[in-house]
Amino acid sequence: MNQIQNLIDINENPFVLFNKWYLEAKKKEINDPNAMTLSTISDQMLPSSRVVLLKSYDLEGFVFYTNINSRKGLAIKKNKYVALNFHWKSLFKQIRIEGVAKKISKKDADKYFISRPLKSRIGAWASNQSSILKNRKELEDKIKFYNMKFKRKIIPRPTFWTGFKVDPNLIEFWQDMPFRLHDRVEFNKIRNK
């Protein structure tokens, strides 16, 4: 059963409010409070959604990383408009974001890549995200290959792996309320022409 929530303050800065809810989720959500659904549209105008991890955020947007040759990477290349959704079941809250995905700088991508665990860096080289494998052994063999290739070396970021920052046009905050009379506040960015 839901706890009684205070109504969302429509005068709050949406980035400040996101930060408050995210910090609350980091304390209370059991697994992956940074998990968000990313939705893209293919060149055939078909929607596709998957869960990715938020790695950073600021007043300019929300950052995740991927292989740019993956289904999501190729979709973003053709259509930069995406949607994100955070659902924190334990908080009875969710945040929906619509915006424009833009590649982050090579410097920022390199900085994040080198901070990843060794096996995750090897995995970025070995995995052709969204492609079909003959069998699991094919991936395991590629992991062995890159482990040997980069043995005792600094593992560089692959050129096909980077981050995207979603610059929001819309941020909607939603929280569960008694009797399904939920509270929802939508913030829209007014862009100068």
Side-chain angles (χ1 to χ4, degrees), residues 28-158:
K28 295 183 180 175
E29 196 66 25
I30 296 170
N31 292 311
D32 299 323
N34 62 331
M36 59 186 182
T37 301
L38 166 69
S39 298
T40 57
I41 301 291
S42 74
D43 54 351
Q44 292 88 29
M45 299 302 292
L46 299 172
S48 181
S49 296
R50 75 290 283 155
V51 175
V52 297
L53 298 178
L54 175 73
K55 291 301 181 177
S56 64
Y57 61 95
D58 59 25
L59 295 176
E60 295 173 2
F62 304 87
V63 177
F64 67 94
Y65 292 85
T66 191
N67 182 321
I68 60 175
N69 297 320
S70 66
R71 179 183 288 176
K72 60 187 165 297
L74 294 173
I76 291 168
K77 183 178 181 181
K78 293 183 180 193
N79 184 344
K80 63 186 177 180
Y81 295 97
V82 301
L84 304 173
N85 186 270
F86 293 86
H87 178 234
W88 297 304
K89 188 174 182 179
S90 62
L91 302 181
F92 304 97
K93 293 179 178 179
Q94 65 179 318
I95 299 174
R96 189 172 66 83
I97 298 166
E98 294 176 2
V100 176
K102 302 172 184 175
K103 279 188 194 175
I104 65 170
S105 71
K106 290 179 182 178
K107 179 182 174 187
D108 287 343
D110 288 342
K111 182 178 177 183
Y112 175 72
F113 186 79
I114 201 71
S115 76
R116 300 179 86 210
L118 175 69
K119 289 182 179 180
S120 294
R121 286 180 272 154
I122 292 291
W125 278 96
S127 174
N128 293 330
Q129 281 185 357
S130 304
S131 65
I132 297 171
L133 291 171
K134 289 182 258 177
N135 52 46
R136 182 77 182 183
K137 185 177 181 320
E138 183 182 347
L139 176 61
E140 292 168 355
D141 288 345
K142 287 180 82 174
I143 290 169
K144 287 177 189 172
F145 171 81
Y146 285 109
N147 270 322
M148 290 304 297
K149 178 177 180 172
F150 295 122
K151 193 173 186 176
R152 293 188 214 98
K153 294 180 184 172
I154 294 174
I155 303 170
R157 178 181 61 85

